[in-house]
Amino acid sequence: MMTVPADGLALLFYANPPLVAAGVVAGTLFGLFLLYQLLGLGPRRQRACRRVERLLRAGDWKAALALAHRLCARSRAGTPWQEQIRRLQAECLQAGIQDTVQALRYEDALRLADEAAAALGVEPLQAHRQVIDAALAEARRLFAAANSPEQTAATHTLLANILLLQSPCAEASFWQGLCYIREGKLDQAAAALRTAEETARGQFVDPLLYLGGTALRDGRAPEAVRWLAEANRLDPSCPFVTLQLGQAIVAAKGDSNLAVVALQRALTRLVPLRGDAALLRAWTEFLPEGKSFVRRLATNHSFVCPLLGGNVTVIVRRGQLALAEAEYRRGRYQAAADLFEKLLQDCPPTAALLRGLGLSLARLERYDEAFKHLRIAYEQEEPKQPLTAGYLALCGALGKPKQEEDRPKNVAWAIQLLARFQLVGDADLARISSRLLTEARALRLPVSVDQRIHLCQALVSAYATEPQDAEAYDDLAANAPEAVQSAHAYLYCRAAAQHGFRGRADLDLFARAFHDWSGMQEFFTARQWSFEDAEFAYLQRWAEQRPGTFPELPVAEYPRRAADLLLERSRKQAETGDRNAARQAAEVLLRLQPNHLRAHDWLSQLSYQQGDLGRAADLLTALQQLDPQNPIPSVRRAVIEQKRGQWTDCAACVQAALERAAEKDRGAVALLGARLLLTSIAGDHLSESRLEQAKRLLEVRLRHEPDDVTALSLLTAVFASLGDRARLAALAPAMDRPGVNDLSFQFFAGLCFLAGGNYDRCLDATSRLLRDPRFAAEGQFLAAWANYLKGDRAAAVTALRTVADATDSPSSQLANAWLGGLECAAGNDAGAIEHWLRLTAEGRIVAGVEAALRSSILVAGLSAYDRGGYEEAASCFRKAMALDSENRELRDLLAQALEQAARRFLSSGVTPEAPTLMSGRNGTAPHSVETRQTRQAVS
């Protein structure tokens, strides 16, 4: 390397001054740069940040954090350097969090999380969540791995620390509850699980599932149903939930149909699982994602349920056992027996299985088979169950004995077996007790008083009121009356009222019950039974055995109260349409108190309404004898006699009522009597005596009420029926009341004017009838009479034709008869025939036109035959034959007309001589002479 001497530098400077100056400047700047890198604040901070990063990579997060803290303290707020340093601090703290979490120092991790959040200027919740999640993950691992009390205690310690760090914490409380379940501390488990549920607020299914499972295991079945129903609402597809729910419903004796549905749905998904490994997978498959703490654990670890266990076969068998019990409870005993038998093939013969199978077979009345299973179950049970003993006794009593003479011994043994137990509050035990007592009575087996009382107490505890139960109470009262309790009598009365049972001590038991009036009322009211029905049954039976008296009961004025009760009961039953029961209640009252006026009156009404007119008449006769001055019984009997068609008795009753009636009521009674008599002779125009009686009654009415339009109208009808024109005419002034709106009255007024010859006033009255379609035809008929008598025949015929066309009018027949007569008189046979054929056979006879109609039809036929109108003639002869089918001449004439019509038809296109083939001499038609003779005769 060449060395430049000092004087050489000077020479170089002088030789090239710019170059030398540039070099000097560059050297100076380089020196300054080196000095900055060594002593400058920025490069020193940068080198410090790199050292922090190197320390983090080396795993010394504490030294890195300390260096970062010193850097942060030396930097000014708001500068980019400070932001970078804070990020480095956060990275150091994050590394520290991970390190402390791995070391299970969660408190230190939370402190570091707080520092990291402060360094970044954010909320510490996310960092806290990370720490708690890590702690919970460790808790799940510890729970899954715990196989000993020490490991479970370690899990408890960790969960307690988590709850110190974050309270409340739903998942920590949940796992704490499951640890308690594993330890058998169900009360503490329930408290922890309730805390978990309150914190989770229904977002997770597991707390609800295990709360229900814990309550079920602890014997609190109704509470279990509530929790599990809520879990089912949250996740209805989880078979673990529905399985527990079905078991809880069965244990709580709830709706067996719902239990069967839940259990079948669960077993459908659980039965296909094969092996414990499948069960471990099932916890992740069957529990809802994001709503289950157990699923979080089962995703990474093996989960063995502290309640259900880890054996899928055992879980399924429990569900099948519950299903069998549910089928039994809902009365499907064959299905239950099949399930129990299947379980016995796969499981050891436990007492529960044998008991269930025995009960099902007993319900199927397969007593001998059931006895074997129930006997083994009874021997295995500790303590002995009353229900097992009860059905064992029933099977022993009802099974087929080896020898028939052993049956009484078997029944006695059964009763002695039941005597060992307290038979209280169970309907099955009550039914069995009743059946055993029935068998003992059938075999005439002596049963001690104590045994009777003991078995009847079972019936009382179940409030049994079936007929066989009533028989047991009655048998106790008949054999040991001093042992009868009030409850026995109450229940007997209920059974008697319900089923109509009657025993040997019937009235004695009723008396025992009703003498404790207030106690019996309270007993019936508490069970919502009808006290009135029981009282009615007592009164009915008392009336049968002791008529004419009332039972002596501790109730003020009981006879009056009982009478009011029976009457009110009868009226209510009549209002609901049960008239038989209404009559029964009234008959009871009449038997208890034969002189009760209201009972006679009311029962007569009921009998009349049911069509028993004889009984109604007898009751009214008796009532009249009990109350001689009362006209009402006679009036009502008059109505009944009228309905029976006994018009003489009807008139006599009306007369008797008139004699008893007060002066102000006589008119009303007379009017009713007249209407009854007139109604009874509907269609009978020959009963002049009844018409005269009705006339006298109507005159009585008009003396009291001269302006009564109904009485005036009826009196007019009576005079018209009697044909008394003079009296009709005499009534005309009283009927001249155009202001009356009753159109029937106006019709009878017109009839009076017609009889009196005042045709204009008659037409004026009938004009009012024409405004109403119901009376228009009758008005036209009256108008026809008035116009005819005035001499205006055209107007009369016009009115008559209108009436004749009104087929629904009773005057239509008369109008057609009259028009036919007018047409016949005018020589119009066809018109006469047309009108007369509209009449009924009876109408033609009444009008006296039968012979004239036949003659007219015959003449018309012969005339048509003479003209050569053979078809028309045949039609006329047919009509004549319809009126006189036995007339041979008509048949011959019809045959001749038909033959001539046929010949004309056949010969019309063949030969012109055809019409003369049947002609007589001189070209005249056959029978022409006879035809003329007949017409002369008809004329």
Side-chain angles (χ1 to χ4, degrees):
M1 182 175 179
M2 184 180 66
T3 302
V4 181
D7 52 351
L9 287 173
L11 181 61
L12 181 60
F13 175 79
Y14 287 112
N16 194 352
L19 181 62
V20 173
V24 172
V25 171
T28 303
L29 291 176
F30 180 72
L32 292 173
F33 173 75
L34 290 176
L35 186 61
Y36 174 73
Q37 290 295 325
L38 290 173
L39 303 175
L41 186 58
R44 290 205 311 271
R45 288 174 176 169
Q46 190 174 7
R47 288 193 298 272
C49 289
R50 284 198 294 270
R51 283 197 302 272
V52 171
E53 293 173 352
R54 285 196 300 271
L55 289 170
L56 280 176
R57 285 194 296 271
D60 191 357
W61 64 271
K62 292 182 178 179
L65 181 60
L67 180 56
H69 282 328
R70 290 196 298 270
L71 287 174
C72 185
R74 295 172 184 171
S75 61
R76 292 196 304 272
T79 60
W81 280 110
Q82 190 178 47
E83 294 301 321
Q84 181 180 357
I85 293 169
R86 285 185 179 278
R87 283 195 298 271
L88 283 173
Q89 279 183 314
E91 291 178 10
C92 295
L93 292 168
Q94 188 64 37
I97 292 171
Q98 294 176 358
D99 187 47
T100 51
V101 165
Q102 290 175 358
L104 307 182
R105 293 184 286 109
Y106 299 110
E107 293 183 6
D108 294 339
L110 283 179
R111 179 178 53 77
L112 294 174
D114 290 337
E115 292 184 20
L120 293 174
V122 297
E123 291 293 330
L125 293 179
Q126 184 176 358
H128 281 200
R129 182 71 266 172
Q130 178 185 359
V131 174
I132 298 301
D133 286 347
L136 290 172
E138 177 64 14
R140 290 193 290 270
R141 185 191 68 80
L142 287 176
F143 182 87
N147 292 320
S148 65
E150 292 76 13
Q151 291 174 323
T152 301
T155 308
H156 266 305
T157 301
L158 176 57
L159 292 170
N161 290 334
I162 294 173
L163 288 171
L164 288 175
L165 298 175
Q166 178 180 317
S167 183
C169 178
E171 187 173 359
S173 297
F174 171 75
W175 293 116
Q176 195 176 51
L178 262 62
C179 287
Y180 285 129
I181 293 175
R182 184 176 282 172
E183 294 171 334
K185 302 174 181 178
L186 298 184
D187 290 340
Q188 293 170 282
L193 290 169
R194 277 195 294 270
T195 301
E197 167 56 22
E198 292 168 1
T199 306
R201 296 181 182 179
Q203 298 301 311
F204 285 82
V205 70
D206 311 285
L208 295 167
L209 171 62
Y210 283 93
L211 273 169
T214 302
L216 180 60
R217 177 181 286 188
D218 202 28
R220 295 176 281 115
E223 181 183 344
V225 171
R226 291 196 299 271
W227 290 117
L228 291 166
E230 186 64 22
N232 186 65
R233 184 194 63 79
L234 189 62
D235 184 17
S237 64
C238 179
F240 299 116
V241 173
T242 50
L243 181 74
Q244 293 278 81
L245 177 59
Q247 292 174 341
I249 293 174
V250 172
K253 299 182 180 180
D255 190 334
S256 298
N257 293 317
L258 292 178
V260 168
V261 171
L263 289 167
Q264 287 178 340
R265 191 169 63 189
L267 292 172
T268 300
R269 301 186 68 184
L270 291 175
V271 168
L273 298 179
R274 292 292 182 267
D276 297 342
L279 178 61
L280 294 176
R281 291 193 301 272
W283 291 107
T284 58
E285 295 173 3
F286 294 158
L287 288 170
E289 185 176 2
K291 294 183 179 180
S292 171
F293 301 129
V294 171
R295 179 164 178 159
R296 290 179 183 175
L297 183 150
T299 302
N300 300 306
H301 310 285
S302 297
F303 176 72
V304 178
C305 179
L307 274 178
L308 300 179
N311 190 326
V312 66
T313 303
V314 174
I315 295 174
V316 168
R317 285 176 182 171
R318 289 175 187 161
Q320 290 172 335
L321 179 60
L323 179 61
E325 292 178 3
E327 292 286 16
Y328 175 85
R329 290 185 187 280
R330 67 174 183 163
R332 298 187 65 216
Y333 304 119
Q334 186 60 58
D338 293 341
L339 285 168
F340 282 122
E341 286 179 345
K342 185 177 183 302
L343 284 169
L344 273 176
Q345 294 172 4
D346 302 330
C347 307
T350 63
L353 279 178
L354 292 169
R355 178 174 178 268
L357 179 56
L359 295 180
S360 301
L361 293 173
R363 284 292 193 153
L364 293 170
E365 298 184 358
R366 292 158 59 181
Y367 299 116
D368 294 329
E369 297 176 61
F371 183 82
K372 295 182 294 184
H373 299 293
L374 289 170
R375 184 178 60 185
I376 299 172
Y378 180 74
E379 291 173 354
Q380 291 182 2
E381 283 180 346
E382 287 299 339
K384 307 299 184 186
Q385 297 296 318
L387 190 63
T388 308
Y391 275 98
L392 179 61
L394 181 68
C395 293
L398 301 183
K400 184 177 181 180
K402 293 180 180 180
Q403 298 178 355
E404 191 60 31
E405 54 268 21
D406 291 337
R407 186 176 296 278
K409 298 178 183 178
N410 293 344
V411 175
W413 171 83
I415 292 175
Q416 291 172 0
L417 177 61
L418 280 186
R420 303 175 190 173
F421 296 90
Q422 289 296 324
L423 312 175
V424 177
D426 192 297
D428 282 354
L429 290 174
R431 183 179 61 83
I432 292 169
S433 301
S434 181
R435 184 66 183 273
L436 291 179
L437 287 172
T438 302
E439 289 295 317
R441 286 191 296 273
L443 295 170
R444 297 183 179 179
L445 182 70
V447 181
S448 69
V449 173
D450 291 340
Q451 289 176 334
R452 291 178 190 275
I453 295 173
H454 185 72
L455 294 179
C456 284
Q457 197 59 36
L459 305 183
V460 169
S461 68
Y463 306 112
T465 58
E466 293 301 315
Q468 62 270 21
D469 306 323
E471 192 174 2
Y473 305 136
D474 178 70
D475 191 58
L476 178 64
N479 290 282
E482 71 283 353
V484 175
Q485 301 173 7
S486 295
H488 298 146
Y490 299 159
L491 294 170
Y492 177 87
C493 294
R494 170 66 175 174
Q498 268 190 309
H499 309 291
F501 178 83
R502 295 169 184 259
R504 292 176 293 169
D506 186 70
L507 279 185
D508 292 339
L509 283 168
F510 269 106
R512 171 65 183 271
F514 278 92
H515 273 82
D516 185 11
W517 183 274
S518 58
M520 184 176 178
Q521 274 191 326
E522 291 176 5
F523 188 86
F524 272 61
T525 303
R527 285 148 195 84
Q528 297 182 346
W529 293 348
S530 174
F531 182 79
E532 180 184 308
D533 289 348
E535 186 177 1
F536 172 73
Y538 185 27
L539 292 172
Q540 184 181 30
R541 295 172 191 203
W542 183 277
E544 292 171 0
Q545 298 188 32
R546 303 177 186 177
T549 64
F550 285 90
E552 296 181 3
L553 296 180
V555 179
E557 299 183 4
Y558 184 72
R560 182 183 59 78
R561 180 195 181 283
D564 293 344
L565 167 72
L566 291 170
L567 272 180
E568 184 63 23
R569 179 185 179 88
S570 179
R571 292 186 189 281
K572 287 180 179 178
Q573 289 169 333
E575 289 173 1
T576 59
D578 192 354
R579 298 193 182 278
N580 289 326
R583 283 187 69 179
Q584 187 180 34
E587 293 281 9
V588 170
L589 174 56
L590 204 59
R591 187 182 288 265
L592 290 168
Q593 189 173 347
N595 61 348
H596 198 285
L597 300 181
R598 286 191 297 161
H600 282 85
D601 182 60
W602 173 242
L603 187 55
S604 67
Q605 294 181 50
L606 293 174
S607 301
Y608 175 80
Q609 291 167 1
Q610 287 194 299
D612 191 353
L613 301 182
R615 175 64 171 156
D618 293 342
L619 288 165
L620 288 170
T621 301
L623 178 60
Q624 189 69 79
Q625 294 172 356
L626 292 171
D627 191 6
Q629 302 306 316
N630 187 357
I632 299 298
S634 295
V635 171
R636 289 182 175 169
R637 190 179 166 202
V639 175
I640 291 173
E641 298 301 344
Q642 178 268 333
K643 199 170 186 68
R644 297 167 73 184
Q646 303 295 328
W647 70 269
T648 303
D649 293 339
C650 175
C653 291
V654 171
Q655 186 60 39
L658 273 176
E659 294 171 359
R660 294 181 173 90
E663 187 65 24
K664 61 183 180 63
D665 298 326
R666 289 174 60 81
V669 173
L671 178 61
L672 175 61
R675 297 182 69 168
L676 290 174
L677 290 172
L678 292 175
T679 304
S680 68
I681 60 172
D684 182 3
H685 300 286
L686 302 177
S687 184
E688 294 187 8
S689 61
R690 276 170 276 175
L691 287 170
E692 288 292 341
Q693 287 175 328
K695 178 181 73 66
R696 287 194 294 272
L697 291 171
L698 290 170
E699 288 172 347
V700 171
R701 171 64 175 175
L702 289 172
R703 281 199 299 271
H704 289 81
E705 296 288 342
D707 296 330
D708 187 346
V709 296
T710 301
L712 289 169
S713 299
L714 292 176
L715 191 58
T716 302
V718 169
F719 289 153
S721 299
L722 291 171
D724 194 339
R725 295 172 60 92
R727 291 187 178 180
L728 283 174
L731 274 178
M735 301 295 287
D736 189 7
R737 297 167 66 181
V740 175
N741 294 324
D742 186 352
L743 294 183
S744 61
F745 176 83
Q746 295 299 335
F747 172 79
F748 288 115
L751 191 60
C752 291
F753 294 138
L754 184 67
N758 192 347
Y759 306 126
D760 292 331
R761 292 292 296 118
C762 177
L763 291 172
D764 182 56
T766 56
S767 66
R768 301 185 185 94
L769 301 176
L770 302 181
R771 303 168 191 166
D772 192 326
R774 296 173 298 170
F775 294 90
E778 316 314 319
Q780 291 281 15
F781 192 68
L782 273 182
W785 270 109
N787 286 314
Y788 184 82
L789 294 174
K790 281 179 66 176
D792 190 352
R793 295 201 171 191
V797 169
T798 301
L800 285 172
R801 291 188 184 281
T802 303
V803 179
D805 292 336
T807 56
D808 58 342
S809 169
S811 301
S812 175
Q813 295 275 304
L814 297 174
N816 276 298
W818 192 356
L819 284 171
L822 292 176
E823 295 289 356
C824 185
N828 184 4
D829 291 340
I833 292 170
E834 177 187 356
H835 286 291
W836 285 341
L837 283 177
R838 291 185 180 183
L839 301 177
T840 61
E842 183 182 359
R844 289 194 293 270
I845 293 173
V846 171
V849 299
E850 185 76 20
L853 176 60
R854 292 177 184 175
S855 299
S856 298
I857 293 174
L858 182 59
V859 168
L862 293 173
S863 299
Y865 193 95
D866 285 344
R867 296 193 308 270
Y870 304 122
E871 291 85 353
E872 181 182 352
S875 176
C876 290
F877 295 149
R878 284 195 187 93
K879 293 176 182 177
M881 287 187 65
L883 300 173
D884 189 6
S885 59
E886 301 299 326
N887 193 323
R888 292 186 176 182
E889 283 193 11
L890 286 175
R891 283 203 297 270
D892 294 341
L893 289 171
L894 176 60
Q896 289 288 345
L898 291 173
E899 185 177 359
Q900 290 296 337
R903 286 178 178 276
R904 175 183 294 174
F905 175 76
L906 294 173
S907 63
S908 60
V910 179
T911 172
E913 289 81 19
T916 63
L917 289 175
M918 295 296 293
S919 300
R921 286 176 292 182
N922 301 323
T924 59
H927 308 295
S928 60
V929 176
E930 291 84 347
T931 300
R932 285 191 292 272
Q933 292 173 349
T934 302
R935 293 185 65 182
Q936 291 171 0
V938 169
S939 300

